[in-house]
Amino acid sequence: MLIGLAFIAMLNLFGLFWSLKKMVMDSGTRALDHLALQIGVCIVVVWINLPVYEGLFVRKDGGQMPTSDTCNSVIIVDR
């Protein structure tokens, strides 16, 4: 159950990083014209998923997501 939630959160985080990298590498303005709305939506979704990222990476108590779920979601997104 948690792998699906972690997968969607990681997919949006990787998508945000990819689009920001593409914007910086492609001289900014041309890529910004094409990616402005997508970047805005990704930022909103990443902001909404901050508690998920906290459970995946930051927390070290009982609220932490299992390490296997974190690894599985990263592996699935990376493919």
Side-chain angles (χ1 to χ4, degrees), residues 11-79:
L11 185 65
N12 285 306
L13 188 65
F14 280 31
L16 178 63
F17 287 145
W18 176 82
S19 62
L20 291 175
K21 180 188 76 92
K22 186 170 176 85
M23 186 179 69
V24 169
M25 295 296 198
D26 291 346
S27 72
T29 58
R30 186 173 51 123
L32 186 60
D33 291 340
H34 297 286
L35 295 174
L37 185 60
Q38 288 89 350
I39 291 173
V41 171
C42 263
I43 289 172
V44 169
V45 172
V46 166
W47 183 266
I48 290 170
N49 285 320
L50 282 178
V52 176
Y53 302 129
E54 181 183 354
L56 284 169
F57 302 115
V58 179
R59 292 186 74 159
K60 300 299 178 202
D61 58 355
Q64 178 184 10
M65 281 193 189
T67 307
S68 63
D69 290 347
T70 303
C71 292
N72 286 335
S73 65
V74 169
I75 290 170
I76 292 171
V77 169
D78 194 35
R79 288 187 180 182

